[in-house]
Amino acid sequence: MQTSKQNNSFSPEFNKRLKSRYRAEQRFKFLGIGAIFIALAFLVFLLSTVTLSGYSAFKQTYIMLDVTLDKEYFPDEDLAKGDFQGIVKKSLYSMFPDVSSRKDKRMLNGLVSKGAAFQLMDMVKEDPKLVGTSFSIWAPAKDDVDMLMKGNIDMDQAESNRRIKDKQFEWIKTLEENKRVKTRFNRTFFTSGDSREPELAGILSAVKGSLYTLVITLLLSFPMGVAAAIYLEEFAPDNKFTDLIEININNLAAVPSIIFGLLGLAIFINFWGIPRSTPLVGGLVLTLMTLPTIIIAARASLKSVPPSIREAALGVGASKIQTVFHHVLPLALPGMLTGTIIGMAQALGETAPLLMIGMVAFIVDIPGSFTDPAAALPVQVYLWADSPERAFTEKTSAAIMILLGFLVIMNAVAVYMRKKFEIKW
Amino acid sequence: MKIKGPIVAGVLATATIMSSAAHANRDYISIVGSSTVYPFATVVAEQFGRTTQFKTPKIESTGSGGGLKLFCSGVGVDHPDITNASRAIKKSEQEKCAANGIKDVIEVKIGYDGIVLANSKKADQMQLTRKDVFMALAKEVPGKDGKLMANPYTTWKDVNPSLPAVAIEVLGPPPTSGTRDAFVELAMEGGAKKFESLAALRKEDKKDFQKIAHTLREDGAYVEAGENDNLIVQKLQANPNALGIFGFSFLDQNSDVVQGSMVDGEAPTFDNIAEGKYPVSRPLFFYVKKAHVGTIPGIAEYLSEFTSEKAWGPEGYLADKGMIPMPDAERKQFGMDVKELKPMAMK
């Protein structure tokens, strides 16, 4: 009431202008909300497509086999050389005794993954006493069977167009009736390395490769970045030369990452002779990439420490270096750590430079050290996306989910640290 | 707050890691090369790694050209032992190898790969000839008078009245791809030869002929869709009027959504490619450094795994993955050569 009265005391032109100013403000608000809404919609779309196509990768179809490890399958003294594939085949034939033609037998064998034989081999290696006994195992089903169970194969299509043939469908139904088929959590996905069989492929070698690479990156780029920032911010004289360095650092932060890969190939691999495809060389290259990010973040957080702190320390007789290390650095550290974590998250999602140094590779063995050949998480996504087998589509999405999970965790830690150690002046 | 401690520790730790890494002996096989052979070589490598006491070979997908470049850069643990290729080694590459001290290279042909032209199942199957393909995709085609002109055709019907009246739109690999090399060599050259004027040119000046046959249209009828064949398959599903060019294994895996076009009256099926009836198929190879056999553990065993019947035979696991096996006699020949580690002759 009061405002309207007040408004009335002004000229009509003024009221008009005021209204239009309010309208402009409203418009801007709506535009902002609209922008956020559109961005969120894209994010939701991305996450939901990835999740929808990827969640099924965490489950896997298994088939129960009754196996008999007859001694005849182990002609060699080395038990690992036994004919495990033969044992698996015999188990299948005994379940479907009326399958006789060569072609049908091949189709029947196509129900169970090669992993069944590897599983038996590992069991026998662990416990040689198993030879000669009979027992049941849950063996992973072939990727095509898995796709069928997950409803990704349309059985209404003509037989020649399907990866699962009519006979195989019958067999699977029989197996299901006998409670020999089940779908359960896919542990293999988290405990094994890459494989060309989708049902045996896992993410662990890529996760470990990424971990080793990031350890090297962190060990190198954090101390170097912080030291460079401290020198430039606190000790360096202000002249043309330091200006030049500053410009170059800012420039490097914007250089496309593939260029660091080329540099790494030329210097670390060809000149220093560090082995290709290892986390060591990957870490070095990513160090180059993250250094500018860390230096810039570290300098910004040093700058935000008020000069009064430095003056007070110098005033009570601290030396320059004591001032920096006892007073300024501890206060600037939370900001530096945040910058470092964001730089690390960036390095985790990087593929382009790794392409040049041979980390885009098929790695089955899980890397155990910094000099074992390794892949990285985003590389695994790239490789699976390029594989012909249909079942790799869901693996690709699942790998993306895991990569996103790591990124969210790292960024959340950065936010938490900033909140926790934030100092308000 | 003391900060120095962790920094010093970090620097020391890295220094130790670095020095231990230098000049490490390699105990795994290092393989580079073609992305077409990659899905087959990796299956063998995995089988080899799981069933022997050797480590699983490391396989990089660098493309045929990139692989041979790395392969020919020298002898020793820093250089790859084997390179995969979806084409035979070139003379220039052999010379580079020789110049870098790689004397004996064993050539192993492993099988064939068909290149298919496919479209969505929603549309009708196309009945193409290589001549149609050339006329639809070449940048310059001979006109009625035999003179070259810029490609005027916009629909398949313009090319051949028996084809449907849909716009020409073909999604295929970029020039860096080995699939593209093989496609232009087999399909485009094969089609170009059907023109009398071009066939005459081929006899006169092979280079000029190849330039015409290998240059694809740049006016939007041929779309470079990247190296990812899965992406092409997806795009075909979305656009039933488009054709896509990719390897047989992708057709094999996606036969419920895409269909291969007939080329010269032959459908791209496993049997037709294996019998050599389907015209657009190419051999796949890998090359081994003889000097590394015995130095890097497991190479000889990897070779025998690859050349065993259960791998590359007609019923082997590579055939399950979509590789077309060689005829028995050829397999036997290459199998023997590998067993004897017989180096290839210089071209």
Side-chain angles (χ1 to χ4, degrees):
Chain A
M1 279 300 249
Q2 214 177 359
T3 42
S4 68
K5 232 182 225 168
Q6 266 179 356
N7 281 350
N8 286 343
S9 64
F10 293 110
S11 69
E13 286 80 20
F14 176 88
N15 282 333
K16 224 172 154 189
R17 279 202 303 276
L18 188 66
K19 252 191 193 159
S20 100
R21 271 160 62 198
Y22 279 148
R23 270 205 305 277
E25 197 178 315
Q26 280 296 322
R27 265 205 305 278
F28 185 76
K29 249 190 186 162
F30 281 129
L31 274 178
I33 291 172
I36 289 177
F37 183 75
I38 291 171
L40 274 181
F42 276 124
L43 185 67
V44 167
F45 175 73
L46 174 85
L47 289 181
S48 57
T49 13
V50 168
T51 317
L52 277 179
S53 59
Y55 79 95
S56 53
F58 298 118
K59 290 197 151 184
Q60 158 72 31
T61 309
Y62 290 84
I63 294 176
M64 188 164 84
L65 298 175
D66 300 327
V67 288
T68 311
L69 302 186
D70 283 337
K71 287 216 169 65
E72 59 186 280
Y73 288 109
F74 299 93
D76 202 283
E77 217 161 90
D78 183 2
L79 291 177
K81 282 191 182 146
D83 182 10
F84 296 100
Q85 200 68 51
I87 297 171
V88 173
K89 279 181 185 168
K90 197 182 164 207
S91 154
L92 280 165
Y93 298 154
S94 66
M95 274 192 278
F96 298 97
D98 45 336
V99 174
S100 54
S101 82
R102 214 170 132 73
K103 199 173 159 243
D104 287 357
K105 279 186 171 173
R106 249 178 91 76
M107 268 163 50
L108 181 60
N109 291 329
L111 295 183
V112 175
S113 163
K114 268 200 278 188
F118 300 143
Q119 197 178 329
L120 282 177
M121 187 168 82
D122 289 342
M123 286 169 80
V124 169
K125 265 190 203 159
E126 207 162 279
D127 183 9
K129 284 193 204 105
L130 284 175
V131 175
T133 60
S134 304
F135 50 92
S136 304
I137 56 164
W138 283 99
K142 194 90 181 147
D143 52 331
D144 294 327
V145 178
D146 191 40
M147 286 292 101
L148 176 80
M149 299 304 291
K150 287 171 183 168
N152 292 345
I153 291 181
D154 181 8
M155 291 306 290
D156 297 334
Q157 291 251 4
E159 189 180 5
S160 62
N161 297 340
R162 283 186 253 119
R163 302 274 309 166
I164 291 280
K165 308 296 174 203
D166 286 343
K167 274 188 182 155
Q168 289 179 309
F169 190 57
E170 288 298 312
W171 294 327
I172 295 167
K173 268 179 149 172
T174 320
L175 285 172
E176 261 189 303
E177 276 160 24
N178 295 336
K179 298 222 163 30
R180 282 176 174 276
V181 181
K182 75 171 177 192
T183 308
R184 65 162 194 230
F185 180 66
N186 185 3
R187 232 179 51 204
T188 319
F189 188 68
F190 296 96
T191 54
S192 66
D194 195 5
S195 169
R196 283 287 297 131
E197 309 297 332
E199 68 275 8
L200 302 179
I203 198 87
L204 188 62
S205 62
V207 170
K208 275 199 135 178
S210 274
L211 185 78
Y212 283 128
T213 311
L214 284 189
V215 166
I216 297 270
T217 310
L218 185 68
L219 283 183
L220 284 174
S221 63
F222 183 64
M224 258 175 11
V226 170
I230 292 174
Y231 178 76
L232 285 174
E233 202 54 47
E234 303 288 338
F235 294 98
D238 202 8
N239 57 23
K240 285 251 167 66
F241 183 65
T242 46
D243 282 351
L244 188 74
I245 289 178
E246 181 163 0
I247 291 171
N248 273 310
I249 287 172
N250 289 342
N251 246 337
L252 277 180
V255 162
S257 54
I258 186 110
I259 293 174
F260 292 113
L262 283 167
L263 185 79
L265 176 68
I267 293 178
F268 301 139
I269 294 180
N270 291 344
F271 190 62
W272 288 9
I274 298 175
R276 268 176 85 83
S277 317
T278 54
L280 178 61
V281 68
L284 285 169
V285 166
L286 292 178
T287 300
L288 296 181
M289 206 195 76
T290 39
L291 255 183
T293 316
I294 293 180
I295 294 178
I296 290 170
R299 288 189 70 179
S301 63
L302 282 172
K303 254 189 206 131
S304 70
V305 176
S308 54
I309 305 263
R310 296 184 184 83
E311 280 155 17
L314 291 172
V316 294
S319 71
K320 185 91 184 167
I321 198 157
Q322 281 171 330
T323 312
V324 170
F325 281 95
H326 293 176
H327 302 282
V328 180
L329 190 55
L331 291 172
L333 210 53
M336 290 177 172
L337 288 177
T338 315
T340 309
I341 291 174
I342 288 168
M344 288 293 125
Q346 209 181 347
L348 176 65
E350 199 58 68
T351 7
L354 303 184
L355 201 73
M356 305 311 301
I357 53 170
M359 282 185 85
V360 180
F362 178 68
I363 308 287
V364 176
D365 297 338
I366 290 152
S369 79
F370 294 98
T371 49
D372 281 345
L377 264 173
V379 166
Q380 196 65 73
V381 172
Y382 169 77
L383 286 174
W384 283 349
D386 216 8
S387 301
E389 287 82 6
R390 187 72 62 82
F392 272 120
T393 321
E394 58 171 31
K395 305 276 177 219
T396 310
S397 296
I400 294 174
M401 280 158 78
I402 289 173
L403 179 60
L404 283 178
F406 276 113
L407 290 177
V408 167
I409 291 172
M410 288 173 80
N411 286 324
V413 169
V415 170
Y416 172 77
M417 296 227 297
R418 196 164 59 221
K419 282 261 152 40
K420 177 148 192 208
F421 297 109
E422 197 176 38
I423 297 155
K424 293 228 167 73
W425 310 104
Chain B
M1 200 182 195
K2 285 263 164 71
I3 309 283
K4 271 187 239 163
I7 296 178
V8 172
V11 170
L12 279 180
T14 351
T16 339
I17 294 163
M18 304 261 291
S19 56
S20 72
H23 308 292
N25 266 336
R26 187 147 56 76
D27 58 352
Y28 54 89
I29 305 172
S30 166
I31 303 174
V32 292
S34 163
S35 55
T36 312
V37 185
Y38 173 88
F40 308 127
T42 43
V43 183
V44 179
E46 190 181 346
Q47 182 75 22
F48 168 79
R50 294 207 198 232
T51 52
T52 63
Q53 77 275 27
F54 299 105
K55 284 197 172 177
T56 309
K58 176 198 82 182
I59 305 186
E60 286 177 52
S61 165
T62 59
S64 303
L68 278 159
K69 195 174 157 196
L70 285 168
F71 179 79
C72 287
S73 56
V75 183
V77 286
D78 297 341
H79 304 285
D81 313 311
I82 295 174
T83 184
N84 300 319
S86 55
R87 56 167 173 78
I89 188 169
K90 288 180 190 158
K91 193 165 181 266
S92 58
E93 287 162 341
Q94 260 192 335
E95 280 160 4
K96 197 188 162 206
C97 262
N100 285 327
I102 304 156
K103 283 190 199 100
D104 293 332
V105 174
I106 306 159
E107 180 178 54
V108 188
K109 189 168 160 187
I110 54 173
Y112 294 91
D113 177 40
I115 297 173
V116 299
L117 282 132
N119 63 351
S120 161
K121 283 238 147 151
K122 286 174 218 151
D124 294 332
Q125 191 182 26
M126 300 272 271
Q127 313 269 346
L128 299 169
T129 65
R130 278 181 285 175
K131 192 178 171 189
D132 297 339
V133 174
F134 172 76
M135 281 168 74
L137 294 180
K139 193 176 178 195
E140 288 183 312
V141 291
K144 283 206 176 85
D145 53 354
K147 272 193 190 144
L148 287 174
M149 56 178 182
N151 196 329
Y153 309 115
T154 53
T155 70
W156 286 102
K157 206 181 168 95
D158 297 342
V159 172
N160 182 344
S162 67
L163 291 171
V166 289
I168 298 170
E169 188 182 354
V170 178
L171 309 167
T176 46
S177 148
T179 311
R180 163 86 164 252
D181 287 347
F183 173 76
V184 290
E185 213 164 278
L186 297 162
M188 298 289 285
E189 269 192 39
K193 268 189 264 179
K194 301 276 157 67
F195 288 93
E196 271 172 34
S197 58
L198 289 177
L201 176 70
R202 182 164 175 261
K203 281 195 189 113
E204 264 171 46
D205 188 343
K206 210 165 173 194
K207 274 215 169 123
D208 264 8
F209 168 77
Q210 281 186 341
K211 203 178 151 209
I212 293 162
H214 288 195
T215 313
L216 296 183
R217 294 172 81 156
E218 286 155 3
D219 55 359
Y222 181 84
V223 185
E224 282 175 8
E227 296 255 18
N228 188 330
D229 290 352
N230 274 329
L231 198 68
I232 299 184
V233 172
Q234 280 172 20
K235 283 183 178 165
L236 292 182
Q237 279 172 264
N239 179 0
N241 290 330
L243 279 182
I245 299 169
F246 44 82
F248 172 74
S249 48
F250 285 84
L251 177 68
D252 192 34
Q253 289 284 340
N254 294 291
S255 52
D256 53 340
V257 286
V258 289
Q259 59 193 348
S261 309
M262 310 268 271
V263 177
D264 293 350
E266 297 292 345
T269 60
F270 189 88
D271 295 330
N272 278 345
I273 302 171
E275 285 161 28
K277 282 188 195 157
Y278 183 74
V280 200
S281 76
R282 58 171 158 176
L284 304 174
F285 301 89
F286 67 82
Y287 296 89
V288 189
K289 262 176 218 164
K290 195 175 175 182
H292 284 200
V293 182
T295 319
I296 305 290
I299 295 184
E301 289 80 0
Y302 174 78
L303 292 181
S304 74
E305 172 72 41
F306 214 126
T307 55
S308 65
E309 275 306 288
K310 73 174 169 42
W312 74 354
E315 305 263 291
Y317 54 76
L318 288 174
D320 290 343
K321 285 282 171 193
M323 189 187 81
I324 316 288
M326 291 186 282
D328 292 351
E330 217 180 349
R331 247 184 6 255
K332 210 171 157 192
Q333 178 60 44
F334 276 100
M336 293 281 279
D337 287 358
V338 168
K339 216 171 256 165
E340 292 163 14
L341 298 174
K342 195 167 126 192
M344 66 186 291
M346 278 293 273
K347 278 182 188 167

